[in-house]
């Protein structure tokens, strides 16, 4: 193969304020599962056509199940991530599935607030169908959570927005009773491994985390999003709660609900509603989906950053002998990744407040980014700390930014082209007579190419603190979506909405050098290799092509580079390592051979 996937930096869980998201922990190891949009991340898995609402491991850790808003249930191998089968043919349920428990039980919540229970023929035999073994009754609002006792006699419990927990016996599962001890919606239900039929029938409350909870170092009056029994601990549980922008958790001993230990993240943006046990380590997902891993003794926190929303752009830069990838997302978050180890973090301080549309690195080692918050930011890649002094406020929304030597920055905005020098506006072209979309600055710093929605590329020269229109039009085959100069400045590549890449020779007066065809849908991004002989393009067909400048027929085709969403940005770490990103919120590294 001329290409090979080298690394995948996965997305974080996609979370929604006030909505529970379940994370699945592997009982046999350190693997855990979560969902983002149409993906389930153990590895990237993409069989669902609608958002995946929940995921759960089987008791032995060999399988896991996913359930989505389109009523689909899929079973996967817990070690390889390969799909084993689906339950229920084309649809396991008639509506969205919002809770699932393995061995295997799923609940369909639907809008009418009732559901069906389906289970495979045997807990360790996964088949192509799921027979109905009962119907949920006893609730009059949406069901949020389900759990099933994993040994005979089977028992099932559900929690709902009607402030009640309902209990069932079976199979076939039949409603037995409800309890209404709760003053607010039931977010999470979980059964101890040691539950006995007698305690099930009598169902007495052993204790309540009330005043002792609130008086604990981590206690308050906020809702408790979830709780889970610790693996290997028959009578040990873990409860957690959110307090403003901090996360607090309690380890409790259920008999009498005695406090055993507490874990705290302190201040910051890590209040995690969902969680999962994996051996002695607990995985957490925060309000923004960021993952954390606190050890209970002593309490410590290892946060894992990343993106939970679609990534719009990326760039690369070498710092301290290491190559880093910088990615910007739809929610304004910018993350940086060590390209070798995958270690990553976000910049300190408050940055963009809206979508990061484009970014690049200037000659002084600053990340220059433009955003839909109408700003251009200059952020030191040494300090990695946002500074209020490095912000330029624009009159209209920027779309694209490019940098050149001498401290020049050119920004393409809606109906405007702006020239910055030394982080200050010095010149603008208002109402240029076309709609500018993308911009590139020649490595020599004397020429600017601006691509428009009219299918033309216009050239401007930089003269001190002004720009002059050179009255030269380069014709693309359709509306220009991206353009870039080769690193030696010899060529300008232009891609368009008509699925074509056109390369112009700078030395020959920007004459057309070659045309490259292959994409099946609109091309949205391109990037030159450091060898100046190859360049890559990514499109809405979810494909990436690596082209050879001298021969359009010699190309590397990466089919389904990001299988669920189109490729949104490209960059080269070196002449054989390509980085791609997509609206699936993941970053991938590819090894390319010619």
């Amino acid at each position: 193969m001329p290409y090979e996937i080298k690394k995948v930096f996965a997305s974080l869980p996609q979370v929604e304020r006030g909505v529970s998201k379940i994370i699945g922990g592997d009982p046999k190891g350190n693997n855990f599962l979560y969902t983002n949009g149409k993906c389930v991340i153990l590895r990237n898995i993409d069989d669902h056509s609608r958002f995946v609402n929940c995921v759960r491991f089987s008791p032995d850790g060999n399988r896991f199940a996913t359930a989505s808003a389109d009523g689909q249930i899929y079973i996967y191998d817990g070690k390889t991530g390969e799909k084993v089968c689906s339950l229920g043919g084309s649809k396991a349920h008639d509506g969205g599935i919002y809770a699932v428990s393995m061995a295997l039980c799923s609940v369909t919540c639907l809008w009418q607030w009732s559901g069906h229970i389906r289970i495979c023929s045997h807990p360790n035999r996964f088949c192509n169908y799921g027979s109905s073994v009962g119907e949920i009754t006893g609730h009059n609002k949406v069901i949020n959570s389900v759990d099933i006792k994993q040994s005979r006699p089977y028992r099932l419990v559900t929690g709902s927005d009607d402030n009640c927990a309902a209990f069932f016996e079976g199979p076939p599962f039949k409603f037995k009773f409800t309890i209404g001890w709760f003053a607010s919606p039931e977010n999470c239900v979980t059964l101890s491994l040691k539950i006995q039929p007698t305690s099930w029938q009598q169902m007495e409350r052993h204790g309540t985390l009330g005043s002792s909870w609130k008086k604990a170092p981590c206690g308050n009056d906020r809702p408790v999003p979830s709780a889970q029994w610790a693996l290997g601990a028959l009578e040990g549980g873990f409860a957690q709660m959110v307090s403003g922008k901090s996360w607090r958790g309690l380890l409790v001993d259920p008999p009498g609900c005695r406090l055993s230990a507490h874990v705290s993240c302190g201040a910051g943006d890590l209040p995690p509603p969902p969680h999962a046990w994996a051996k002695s380590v607990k995985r957490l997902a925060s309000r923004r989906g960021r993952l954390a891993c606190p050890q209970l003794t002593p309490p410590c926190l290892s946060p894992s950053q990343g993106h939970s929303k679609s990534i719009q752009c990326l760039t690369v830069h070498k710092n301290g002998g290491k190559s880093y990838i910088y990615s910007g997302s739809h929610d304004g978050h910018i993350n940086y990744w060590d390209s070798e180890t995958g270690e990553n973090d976000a910049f300190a301080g408050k940055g963009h407040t809206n979508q990061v549309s484009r970014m690049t690195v200037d000659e002084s080692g600053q990340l220059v980014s433009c955003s839909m918050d109408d700003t251009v930011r200059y952020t030191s890649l040494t300090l990695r700390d946002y500074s209020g002094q490095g912000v330029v406020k624009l009159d209209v929304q920027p779309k694209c930014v490019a940098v050149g030597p001498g401290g020049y920055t050119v920004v393409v905005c809606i109906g405007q082209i702006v020239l910055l020098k030394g982080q200050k506006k010095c010149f603008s072209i208002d109402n240029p007579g076309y709609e500018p979309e993308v911009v590139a600055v020649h490595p020599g710093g004397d020429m600017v190419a601006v691509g428009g929605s009219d299918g033309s590329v216009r050239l401007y020269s930089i003269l001190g603190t002004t720009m002059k229109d050179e009255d030269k039009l380069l014709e693309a085959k359709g509306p220009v979506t991206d353009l870039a100069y080769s690193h030696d400045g010899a060529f300008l590549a232009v891609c368009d909405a008509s699925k074509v890449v056109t390369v112009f020779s700078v030395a020959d007066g920007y004459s057309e050098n070659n045309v490259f065809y292959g994409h099946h849908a609109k091309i949205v991004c391109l990037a030159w290799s450091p060898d100046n002989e190859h360049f890559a393009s990514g499109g809405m067909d979810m494909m990436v092509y690596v082209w050879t400048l001298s021969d359009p027929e010699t190309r590397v085709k990466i089919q389904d580079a990001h299988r669920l969403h189109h490729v949104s940005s490209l960059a080269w770490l070196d002449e054989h390592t390509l980085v791609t990103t997509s609206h699936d919120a993941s970053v991938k590294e590819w090894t390319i051979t010619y």
Side-chain angles (χ1 to χ4, degrees):
M1 290 286 289
Y3 67 89
E4 182 181 2
I5 186 71
K6 184 178 181 181
K7 292 184 179 69
V8 177
F9 303 142
S11 63
L12 296 179
Q14 189 173 42
V15 295
E16 182 180 348
R17 186 179 181 88
V19 178
S20 176
K21 171 82 74 170
I22 300 299
I23 293 181
D26 178 4
K28 295 180 67 176
N30 289 315
N31 296 324
F32 65 102
L33 296 164
Y34 57 86
T35 66
N36 184 306
K38 293 178 281 186
C39 288
V40 177
I41 291 86
L42 173 67
R43 300 191 316 194
N44 285 326
I45 300 168
D46 50 23
D47 291 292
H48 292 283
S49 62
R50 296 282 301 280
F51 273 21
V52 184
N53 293 320
C54 47
V55 60
R56 187 71 67 86
F57 267 103
S58 62
D60 59 9
N62 292 329
R63 299 285 191 273
F64 65 89
T66 66
S68 65
D70 60 358
Q72 293 277 14
I73 298 176
Y74 293 102
I75 310 299
Y76 296 93
D77 186 289
K79 295 182 176 63
T80 67
E82 300 297 327
K83 187 174 74 169
V84 176
C85 70
S86 61
L87 289 180
S90 61
K91 280 194 177 183
H93 295 282
D94 296 329
I97 302 172
Y98 294 90
V100 64
S101 179
M102 274 294 282
L104 169 77
C105 174
S106 67
V107 175
T108 307
C109 294
L110 306 181
W111 294 112
Q112 61 265 41
W113 305 319
S114 65
H116 297 282
I117 308 168
R118 292 179 184 263
I119 194 167
C120 64
S121 58
H122 187 277
N124 294 318
R125 291 177 59 195
F126 295 87
C127 39
N128 294 327
Y129 59 88
S131 57
S132 180
V133 289
E135 183 171 334
I136 297 262
T137 58
H139 290 298
N140 58 23
K141 289 188 177 180
V142 172
I143 301 167
N144 296 319
S145 181
V146 61
D147 200 12
I148 186 172
K149 181 175 174 286
Q150 305 293 346
S151 59
R152 295 185 183 274
Y154 292 117
R155 299 291 185 262
L156 184 141
V157 58
T158 58
S160 168
D161 274 359
D162 61 8
N163 301 0
C164 293
F167 297 82
F168 301 81
E169 292 182 351
F173 286 100
K174 297 181 180 179
F175 172 77
K176 294 299 292 183
F177 59 90
T178 62
I179 57 173
W181 297 330
F182 315 104
S184 58
E186 181 72 4
N187 291 326
C188 180
V189 293
T190 180
L191 292 172
S192 166
L193 302 177
K194 204 176 181 180
I195 186 170
Q196 300 295 331
T198 54
S199 62
W200 177 274
Q201 296 288 349
Q202 297 170 1
M203 193 52 63
E204 296 180 356
R205 184 162 44 183
H206 286 278
T208 303
L209 285 173
S211 57
S212 61
W213 173 280
K214 296 175 183 178
K215 291 178 182 178
C218 53
N220 60 29
D221 296 321
R222 297 276 181 159
V224 181
S226 59
Q228 190 170 0
W229 294 95
L231 295 178
L234 297 182
E235 297 188 358
F238 199 95
Q240 61 186 42
M241 67 194 313
V242 175
S243 171
K245 288 189 175 181
S246 62
W247 170 82
R248 318 286 193 197
L250 292 178
L251 180 65
V252 298
D253 183 11
C257 288
R258 298 186 300 272
L259 173 65
S260 300
H262 73 274
V263 180
S264 174
C265 297
D269 189 26
L270 283 167
H275 64 272
W277 286 96
K279 286 190 175 177
S280 61
V281 175
K282 187 169 159 297
R283 288 285 175 177
L284 312 171
S286 76
R287 177 170 56 85
R288 287 191 176 181
R290 297 175 187 172
L291 296 171
C293 176
Q295 304 283 354
L296 295 179
T297 308
C300 62
L301 183 67
S302 300
S304 178
Q305 306 285 349
H307 295 282
S308 59
K309 299 292 179 68
S310 60
I311 300 176
Q312 304 292 323
C313 55
L314 63 78
T315 190
V316 298
H317 181 64
K318 286 190 176 181
N319 191 349
K322 294 184 177 181
S323 294
Y324 288 91
I325 302 166
Y326 298 87
S327 52
S329 65
H330 178 72
D331 59 0
H333 175 66
I334 295 178
N335 207 69
Y336 63 90
W337 316 76
D338 186 314
S339 65
E340 287 298 322
T341 66
E343 294 179 3
N344 63 97
D345 205 344
F347 291 171
K350 185 177 180 180
H352 289 295
T353 58
N354 208 326
Q355 174 180 305
V356 183
S357 300
R358 188 65 69 99
M359 57 188 180
T360 186
V361 179
D362 66 13
E363 61 183 0
S364 62
Q366 295 182 107
L367 183 71
V368 184
S369 56
C370 68
S371 166
M372 290 178 66
D373 61 10
D374 298 347
T375 65
V376 172
R377 281 186 173 270
Y378 294 82
T379 308
S380 169
L381 294 184
T382 301
L383 300 177
R384 289 171 178 158
D385 189 355
Y386 291 114
S387 170
Q389 297 178 357
V391 181
V392 178
K393 180 69 175 176
L394 300 175
D395 298 327
V396 289
Q397 187 180 106
K399 300 178 181 180
C400 186
V401 63
V403 297
Y408 287 109
T409 302
V410 183
V411 188
V412 162
C413 305
I414 298 175
Q416 188 181 61
I417 304 170
V418 180
L419 177 66
L420 308 178
K421 182 175 174 60
Q423 302 184 19
K424 294 181 180 180
K425 289 188 286 187
C426 58
F427 185 77
S428 68
I429 301 174
D430 302 321
N431 302 316
Y434 66 100
E435 185 56 42
E437 297 290 342
V438 289
V439 62
V441 178
H442 190 274
D446 58 342
M447 194 67 65
V448 176
V450 178
S453 59
D454 61 352
S456 297
V457 177
R458 290 164 175 82
L459 300 178
Y460 300 86
S461 57
I462 298 177
L463 303 172
T465 57
T466 64
M467 293 173 61
K468 179 187 175 184
D469 189 343
E470 292 296 313
D471 293 325
K472 186 174 183 62
L473 264 64
L474 311 179
E475 296 297 334
K477 311 305 179 185
V480 179
T481 53
D482 200 8
L483 48 75
Y485 281 100
S486 59
H487 297 280
D488 60 4
F491 299 96
L492 174 67
V494 179
C495 63
D496 57 53
S498 297
K499 304 172 287 187
V500 181
V501 180
T502 307
V503 175
F504 299 91
S505 174
V506 176
D508 296 329
Y510 286 89
S511 62
E512 187 176 293
N513 175 271
N514 236 324
V515 181
F516 299 78
Y517 298 91
H519 282 281
H520 303 314
K522 174 181 173 181
I523 307 173
V524 296
C525 54
L526 58 82
W528 283 89
S529 167
D531 64 10
N532 297 305
E533 174 62 19
H534 301 89
F535 63 91
S537 61
M540 296 193 74
D541 52 7
M542 294 169 284
M543 290 193 292
V544 170
Y545 279 93
V546 179
W547 307 93
T548 300
L549 179 63
S550 57
D551 184 6
E553 299 303 318
T554 303
R555 59 193 182 187
V556 176
K557 178 183 176 182
I558 304 178
Q559 185 85 23
D560 292 331
H562 293 262
R563 295 187 63 185
L564 296 176
H565 298 277
H566 72 264
V567 180
S568 57
S569 192
L570 303 160
W572 291 84
L573 287 169
D574 55 56
E575 61 186 37
H576 291 289
T577 307
L578 178 67
V579 183
T580 66
T581 192
S582 165
H583 286 193
D584 63 8
S586 68
V587 176
K588 296 184 179 182
E589 287 185 26
W590 305 84
T591 298
I592 308 296
T593 55
Y594 308 112

